[in-house]
Amino acid sequence: MRVLVVGSGGREHAICLQFSKSSKIEKIYCAPGNGGISEIAQNIDISISDFDKLTDFVKENNIDFTFIGAEVPLSYGIVDYFEAKGLKIVGPSKNAAKLESSKIYAKEFMQKYDIPTARHNSFEKIDDALKFLENWDKNKKIVVKADGLAAGKGVYVCDGREDARSAAKQIMGNKVLGDAGTSIILEEYINGPELSYLIFTDGISYSMMPASQDHKRLNDNDRGPNTGGMGAYAPAPLATQKLNKKVETDIIRKVINGIKAEKLNYKGILYVGVILNNSSPYVLEFNCRFGDPETQALLPLLDTDLADICGAVLDRKLSNIKIDWKKEFSVCVVLASGGYPGSFEKAFEIKGLDNINCKYTTVFHAGTKRKDGKLITSGGRVLGITSTSDNIKSAINKVYLNVKLVSFKNMHYRKDIGKACLNDNYT
Ligand code: GLY
């Protein structure tokens, strides 16, 4: 089979690498891809939003199915567009992708299907939001969320009334997030550790992946600004069998029942971001695709052919296959350009990748490109390095030994990815 993967980050590199291990896949294309993806796939220079060019390319090259990595084309309806042309594509329809692209829709869905989540109010007018906040305690935390897609920048955790008023003004008044902030949610603040629960689903049945944990803040000990993710590990020791069962019963099954009841066309990946409070899981967010960097930790553990899983999802026969995961742990550390998530310089040569021992370690490229025979930086998150082992401590040790072999000017990475797992209460 021939497959087209749409996207250009570490997540898409992990997806392409998984397809490259499949005995069923003879050719991988990636639009637009990156410097690392080009080693295992043919990068094609088509924008992820140019559905006409993408469908023409798929037809001309007899591509059997397309796999969407990123959320933006899903929110624009790439699945509906491909399916209208009779092309197979893994991902949710535009309506189904609203679970990610509209936080208000997601909240209404959760209320309707009795899925635990923080209490909230939604607002279409800034005056109404500010009026609501007049009665808010000046020191009580509250979360302000933009309704639309905001590339990870749409959530403001505010310390109290004035902070929240200022966030609402920034989002709705100054339009700092553009149209994503036309409406907002004001949400009760819940404190606790977060877990990422991803599932494969064909809209009828589902298969849960090992729970993972992302590190969103830029610096060690969860300090500094939020980023797209500075590292991840899986399976998260915090996700005990008991908790996984509770998440499955209280959340995942209800989401699938809701998808069926609403007749949503959902064939792909659903990411449920969960926060734990007093051991009870609450949904923070839905994403309608693989997470990044979670995918760079998860897919090296997958022990079933991803092409077979996609085939089962596309045929709505996911319940017919058994999906296996290696009984190992993986840890992914993201190497970023100094300055990210703010402005940063690019085009620095990346050195040392040849020194990496690839037996238990994989290098995923995110912001790289090839120029004059050299690999150079081209984005904020540059590389994700993942090591696997039979225990998490050794996976952490291995990954950092390998991280130290790589360098580029102004390279920044967190030194504490997975460290929380080493506390006594995690072991
Ligand atoms: N790791 C968070 C996300 O993929 O949105």
PDB file of all heavy atoms in Angstrom, residues 118 130 221 285:
ATOM      1  N   ALA A 118     -14.589  20.149  34.486  1.00  0.00           N
ATOM      2  CA  ALA A 118     -14.755  21.319  35.365  1.00  0.00           C
ATOM      3  C   ALA A 118     -16.008  22.104  34.974  1.00  0.00           C
ATOM      4  O   ALA A 118     -16.349  22.186  33.789  1.00  0.00           O
ATOM      5  CB  ALA A 118     -13.521  22.207  35.245  1.00  0.00           C
ATOM      6  N   LEU A 130     -17.025  40.029  31.355  1.00  0.00           N
ATOM      7  CA  LEU A 130     -16.481  40.938  32.372  1.00  0.00           C
ATOM      8  C   LEU A 130     -17.471  41.112  33.526  1.00  0.00           C
ATOM      9  O   LEU A 130     -17.087  41.183  34.691  1.00  0.00           O
ATOM     10  CB  LEU A 130     -16.122  42.288  31.747  1.00  0.00           C
ATOM     11  CG  LEU A 130     -15.000  42.231  30.687  1.00  0.00           C
ATOM     12  CD1 LEU A 130     -14.740  43.603  30.082  1.00  0.00           C
ATOM     13  CD2 LEU A 130     -13.698  41.664  31.280  1.00  0.00           C
ATOM     14  N   ASN A 221      11.116  21.610  36.608  1.00  0.00           N
ATOM     15  CA  ASN A 221      10.186  21.802  37.725  1.00  0.00           C
ATOM     16  C   ASN A 221       8.938  22.578  37.307  1.00  0.00           C
ATOM     17  O   ASN A 221       8.370  23.333  38.098  1.00  0.00           O
ATOM     18  CB  ASN A 221      10.879  22.498  38.904  1.00  0.00           C
ATOM     19  CG  ASN A 221      12.080  21.708  39.365  1.00  0.00           C
ATOM     20  OD1 ASN A 221      11.991  20.488  39.502  1.00  0.00           O
ATOM     21  ND2 ASN A 221      13.218  22.370  39.544  1.00  0.00           N
ATOM     22  N   GLU A 285      -9.531  18.472  28.112  1.00  0.00           N
ATOM     23  CA  GLU A 285      -9.669  18.807  26.685  1.00  0.00           C
ATOM     24  C   GLU A 285      -9.740  17.522  25.868  1.00  0.00           C
ATOM     25  O   GLU A 285      -9.313  16.461  26.315  1.00  0.00           O
ATOM     26  CB  GLU A 285      -8.460  19.620  26.193  1.00  0.00           C
ATOM     27  CG  GLU A 285      -7.160  18.844  26.328  1.00  0.00           C
ATOM     28  CD  GLU A 285      -5.947  19.511  25.698  1.00  0.00           C
ATOM     29  OE1 GLU A 285      -6.110  20.521  25.006  1.00  0.00           O
ATOM     30  OE2 GLU A 285      -4.841  18.992  25.902  1.00  0.00           O
TER      31      GLU A 285
END
